[in-house]
């Protein structure tokens, strides 16, 4: 206490007008530089941040040149990177801890995010789980299709693994339902504009990368933008078989705002019955020996999304053990179908009851073990932030880097070692590529999109304002 009081007395007794308030021998101008240090530190931080983004941009351009980017296209790409550097430099000056935010790490954010809302780390775990599963399933599928896995027990268990990992498709759709279907006051236009910026626009950017890697952008002319948009709109995505799921998610976004209103007042029992009917509809479509002419909408992906909303409700926690038991049952049925049926991919994947049971079981598993899954870490935060981009880019990395460059196959090192090695290399390389593309290309597209939307809104407000003034003058006359 004595030290605190002394400190208060000393601070209160000082005055900038008194000579004794300055250290002995220090001149007026020298003393002033102490007050300028925060400003100088800020300028130094801005310069270092700018150099950081310039370095990343040069690394990206060098990598693109190495895989065949021509000189003229390199200049165009350089202009995009320069714009990205300018955007990040400006944001760094306005946003404290901007680099941490870019990395997906909120400094000292703790359990709560910047918005003050409690962060649900279970969703991050499920995103990371889905990323791992999509890489594993595609890596194993490639090696089985190319004959790298011999027939017999090895082929059977590898098939079981990749079919189980195909539940990643349902995990993504269920996450969309869990995160977007809870009621929220949001304008319909704001909802669609935001999803266009955060989902459709990155999809388009990565789609262009797929076209370039596939050698379809050799001749660029005035017709190229329209041709790209036409291909993107039609879903014609060469060497990117996972893109179909992105279109499914976009389709769900169209109806999500309306489901918010419907589910807002729906009793939990009615919601449970809705999920039950969804499973029955999937059973009739998949296993019924007598074809059913009635195709309930809930037996499709919208039913999967509603299941994601239901399984994350607090009331569902008392059913976690039965749901996990259903998930295990679904896995056993899947294993039996793989053993006995040639059409197992039709009856066990995507909107099938067994796959829905497995995916719901994984959700319940994550939410039923809070000691593990209610805690976050740095790796989880980074994977959660870039999970969507990881899904978009992983096919290029898996096909060209993991297999062609490093020649890593899941059949190597007693299978377990090969799977882990292929997963690690693909995940790390995909994360690096996603980080560069998101922050040096997508950010420019998003900024341009936001400027265009703001301009249209200001123009609309101006037109409405002029219309209101004209009407006021008419009323006055």
């Amino acid at each position: 206490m004595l030290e605190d009081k002394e400190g208060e007395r000393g601070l209160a007794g000082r005055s900038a007008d008194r000579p004794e308030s300055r250290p002995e021998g220090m001149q007026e101008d020298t003393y002033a530089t102490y007050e300028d240090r925060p400003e100088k530190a800020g300028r130094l931080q801005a310069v270092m941040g700018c150099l950081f983004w310039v370095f990343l941009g040069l690394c990206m351009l060098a990598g693109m040149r190495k895989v065949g980017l021509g000189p003229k296209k390199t200049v165009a790409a350089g202009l995009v990177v320069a714009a990205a550097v300018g955007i990040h430099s400006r944001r760094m000056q306005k946003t404290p801890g901007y680099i941490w935010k870019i990395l997906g790490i909120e400094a000292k954010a703790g359990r709560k995010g910047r918005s003050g809302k409690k962060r649900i780390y279970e969703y991050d775990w499920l995103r990371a789980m889905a990323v791992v599963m999509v890489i594993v399933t595609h890596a194993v599928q490639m090696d089985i299709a190319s004959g790298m896995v011999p027939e017999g027990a090895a082929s059977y268990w590898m098939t079981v693994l990749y079919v189980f990992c195909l539940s990643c498709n349902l995990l993504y759709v269920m996450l969309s339902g869990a995160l977007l279907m809870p009621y929220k006051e949001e304008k319909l236009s704001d909802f669609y504009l935001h999803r266009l910026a955060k989902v459709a626009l990155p999809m388009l950017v990565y789609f262009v990368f797929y076209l370039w890697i596939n050698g379809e952008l050799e001749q660029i002319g005035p017709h190229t933008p329209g041709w790209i948009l036409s291909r993107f709109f039609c879903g014609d995505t060469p060497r990117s078989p996972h893109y179909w799921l992105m279109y499914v998610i976009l389709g769900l976004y169209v109806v999500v705002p309306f489901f918010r209103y419907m589910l807002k007042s729906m009793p939990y029992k009615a919601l449970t019955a809705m999920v039950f009917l969804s499973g029955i509809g999937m059973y009739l479509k998949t296993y019924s020996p007598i074809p059913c002419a009635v195709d309930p909408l809930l037996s499709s992906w919208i039913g999967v999304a509603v299941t994601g909303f239901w399984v994350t409700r607090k009331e569902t926690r008392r059913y976690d053990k039965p749901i996990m038991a259903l998930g295990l049952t679904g896995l056993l049925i899947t294993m039996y179908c793989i053993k006995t049926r040639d059409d197992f991919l039709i009856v066990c994947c995507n909107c099938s009851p067994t796959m829905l049971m497995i995916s719901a079981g994984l959700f319940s598993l994550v939410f039923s073990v809070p000691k593990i899954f209610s805690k976050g870490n740095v790796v989880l935060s980074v994977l959660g932030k870039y999970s969507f981009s990881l899904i978009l880019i992983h096919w290029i990395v898996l096909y060209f880097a993991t297999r062609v460059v490093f020649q890593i196959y899941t059949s190597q090192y007693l299978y377990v070692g090969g799977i882990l090695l292929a997963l690690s290399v693909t995940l790390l390389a995909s994360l690096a590529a996603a980080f560069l593309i998101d922050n040096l290309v997508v950010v420019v597209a998003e900024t341009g999109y936001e400027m265009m939307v703001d301009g249209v809104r200001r123009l609309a407000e101006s037109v409405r304002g002029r219309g209101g003034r004209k009407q006021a003058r008419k009323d006055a006359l």
Side-chain angles (χ1 to χ4, degrees):
M1 293 297 294
L2 179 63
E3 190 174 12
D4 293 340
K5 290 180 180 178
E6 187 66 24
E8 291 176 4
R9 184 194 63 78
L11 289 172
R14 289 178 187 171
S15 172
D17 298 328
R18 296 167 56 183
E20 61 268 24
S21 64
R22 302 190 185 99
E24 185 178 356
M26 183 173 289
Q27 301 299 321
E28 182 78 21
D29 56 347
T30 308
Y31 184 71
T33 59
Y34 276 78
E35 299 175 357
D36 295 337
R37 281 187 179 180
E39 184 178 351
K40 290 182 177 179
R43 287 198 296 267
L44 178 61
Q45 184 178 5
V47 171
M48 295 299 294
C50 183
L51 292 176
F52 170 76
W53 291 111
V54 169
F55 173 74
L56 289 182
L58 292 175
C59 289
M60 181 176 177
L61 291 175
M64 294 177 70
R65 283 285 292 165
K66 191 171 182 180
V67 295
L69 189 68
K72 292 182 179 180
K73 294 173 186 174
T74 301
V75 173
L79 293 175
V80 174
V81 169
V85 172
I87 292 169
H88 287 300
S89 299
R90 185 178 179 182
R91 291 179 180 178
M92 284 183 66
Q93 297 175 2
K94 296 182 178 181
T95 307
Y98 181 69
I99 295 295
W100 294 110
K101 184 178 179 181
I102 287 293
L103 292 173
I105 306 169
E106 296 289 343
K108 299 182 180 180
R111 180 69 174 168
K112 293 185 178 181
R114 292 177 180 267
S115 63
K117 294 182 179 180
K118 188 177 181 181
R119 185 171 183 84
I120 303 175
Y121 287 111
E122 286 85 353
Y123 291 145
D124 290 334
W125 280 99
L126 287 166
R127 289 190 193 97
M129 189 182 299
V131 168
V132 169
M133 292 171 80
V134 74
I135 293 175
V136 170
T137 191
H138 283 151
V140 174
Q141 282 184 64
M142 281 185 182
D143 290 343
I144 291 178
S146 60
M148 300 296 297
V149 180
E151 294 290 336
S155 177
Y156 171 74
W157 287 109
M158 291 289 275
T159 302
V160 169
L161 175 62
Y162 95 71
V163 173
F164 168 74
C165 288
L166 280 174
S167 60
C168 62
N169 297 331
L170 280 77
L171 292 183
Y172 280 114
V173 175
M174 291 173 68
L175 278 169
S176 297
L179 292 169
L180 296 178
M181 285 189 174
Y183 182 77
K184 178 182 178 182
E185 288 289 346
E186 186 177 11
K187 288 183 180 179
L188 197 62
S189 59
D190 291 342
F191 177 88
Y192 288 134
L193 289 172
H194 181 72
R195 268 72 205 180
L196 282 173
K198 297 302 180 183
V199 179
L201 201 58
M203 279 178 60
L204 178 59
V205 171
Y206 281 88
F207 181 78
V208 173
F209 270 87
Y210 275 96
L211 292 176
W212 168 57
I213 291 294
N214 198 46
E216 299 188 47
L217 293 179
E218 297 299 326
Q219 301 296 327
I220 296 179
H223 69 285
T224 303
W227 175 76
I228 291 175
L229 290 175
S230 176
R231 289 280 301 271
F232 179 73
F233 185 79
C234 296
D236 185 6
T237 54
R239 291 192 182 179
S240 52
H242 59 292
Y243 249 72
W244 68 268
L245 180 63
M246 306 300 108
Y247 289 100
V248 168
I249 293 175
L250 284 178
L252 290 173
Y253 287 167
V254 175
V255 299
V256 158
F258 309 104
F259 268 75
R260 283 180 174 179
Y261 288 97
M262 183 178 70
L263 298 175
K264 176 186 177 183
S265 303
M266 181 178 289
Y268 179 76
K269 289 185 178 179
L271 177 63
T272 304
M274 190 177 182
V275 172
F276 180 75
L277 288 175
S278 176
I280 294 297
M282 291 180 184
Y283 171 81
L284 292 176
K285 286 181 62 176
T286 308
Y287 298 115
S288 176
I290 303 174
C292 182
V294 178
D295 184 10
L297 295 177
L298 290 175
S299 61
S300 61
W301 289 106
I302 190 64
V304 176
V306 171
T307 303
F309 172 72
W310 171 80
V311 79
T312 54
R313 293 282 295 266
K314 291 182 179 179
E315 299 92 329
T316 309
R317 298 286 65 82
R318 62 177 178 267
Y319 302 124
D320 278 335
K321 289 183 179 179
I323 294 172
M324 286 188 285
L326 280 175
L328 181 59
T329 303
L331 178 59
L332 293 175
I333 294 173
T334 299
M335 294 171 64
Y336 176 77
C337 291
I338 293 172
K339 190 76 172 178
T340 59
R341 301 184 60 154
D342 294 332
D343 62 344
F344 63 88
L345 287 177
I346 297 176
V347 299
C348 294
C349 297
N350 293 332
C351 295
S352 69
T354 53
M355 194 61 78
L356 184 66
M357 292 159 62
I358 292 172
S359 304
L362 291 174
F363 264 73
S364 286
L365 173 64
V366 169
F367 278 91
S368 65
V369 190
K371 290 184 179 180
I372 298 175
F373 298 110
S374 63
K375 300 176 182 179
N377 53 62
V378 172
V379 175
L380 199 65
S381 298
V382 175
L383 290 179
K385 180 175 178 60
Y386 291 98
S387 61
F388 183 62
S389 300
L390 281 167
I391 298 304
L392 293 175
I393 196 63
H394 82 280
W395 183 263
I396 292 178
V397 176
L398 179 62
Y399 188 85
F400 289 100
T402 306
R403 290 172 61 88
V404 176
V405 177
F406 297 105
Q407 296 184 352
I408 297 173
Y409 303 94
T410 57
S411 56
Q412 296 172 332
Y413 310 112
L414 300 176
Y415 296 101
V416 175
I419 292 170
L420 293 177
L421 187 58
L423 170 63
S424 302
V425 171
T426 305
L427 184 60
L428 291 175
S430 298
L431 182 60
F435 180 82
L436 291 174
I437 296 173
D438 277 10
N439 293 298
L440 295 175
V441 182
V442 175
V443 69
V444 178
E446 287 182 348
T447 303
Y449 172 81
E450 291 169 0
M451 292 172 63
M452 181 186 69
V453 171
D454 289 341
V456 171
R457 283 177 171 171
R458 285 195 296 268
L459 179 61
E461 291 173 0
S462 176
V463 171
R464 285 197 298 266
R466 285 199 297 268
R469 288 192 294 271
K470 286 181 181 179
Q471 186 63 38
R473 286 196 294 268
K474 287 181 180 180
D475 295 340
L477 293 175

